Amino acid sequence: MKTIFAVALLVAVCAARPVEEVTLSREFVLEYFNATTHYGDPKAGCMSDEVAVQIQGLSGDFCTPQCSLFKACPADVPAGVTAKPMCALQSSSGGKFCALICTPANAANVCGPNASCKSISGVGICTYDD
């Protein structure tokens, strides 16, 4: 009888408490996947001011922030990257975006791990190969 009473009390207590819905915080996800710099691999998550992009005619993708005449490209690049961030891309809707620019003929390890310098129209752009 005591067991039945204890179970009934436990059910009543649990039923009286509302269930709180929670989600993972964006900051935790960014830190967990190490998306702590701009121009990272989208599979690890992009920073809050970036979008994942693919360039028509190139394999691979990367995270990139928007830029303009009045908003320079962020200089924080992933470890090992020596390619230079430049406001070099334009979307079909007119938005401008940054890219890591490299020299295709001299592209040894300038894009960092898991990325490579891809040539398009005589310019090199770093993209992740996965």
Side-chain angles (χ1 to χ4, degrees):
M1 183 69 178
K2 286 183 183 181
T3 303
I4 293 173
F5 178 74
V7 170
L9 182 61
L10 181 61
V11 169
V13 169
C14 290
R17 291 187 178 176
V19 175
E20 186 170 344
E21 292 185 30
V22 296
T23 61
L24 287 174
S25 75
R26 179 160 180 78
E27 292 79 20
F28 169 79
V29 172
L30 289 175
E31 184 176 329
Y32 182 82
F33 285 114
N34 296 319
T36 56
T37 65
H38 288 92
Y39 317 105
D41 189 342
K43 80 173 185 182
C46 298
M47 294 188 76
S48 62
D49 64 339
E50 292 182 304
V51 294
V53 298
Q54 288 184 306
I55 298 173
Q56 188 175 4
L58 291 183
S59 62
D61 56 4
F62 59 98
C63 296
T64 183
Q66 284 193 300
C67 55
S68 71
L69 181 61
F70 304 105
K71 183 179 178 188
C73 293
D76 60 319
V77 297
V81 172
T82 57
K84 301 297 177 207
M86 298 183 77
C87 192
L89 306 176
Q90 184 170 335
S91 69
S92 57
S93 62
K96 295 190 181 292
F97 295 88
C98 303
L100 291 175
I101 303 300
C102 50
T103 305
N106 186 24
N109 298 323
V110 298
C111 296
N114 302 320
S116 61
C117 184
K118 316 272 188 338
S119 180
I120 186 166
S121 301
V123 175
I125 297 179
C126 295
T127 68
Y128 289 90
D129 302 316
D130 47 44

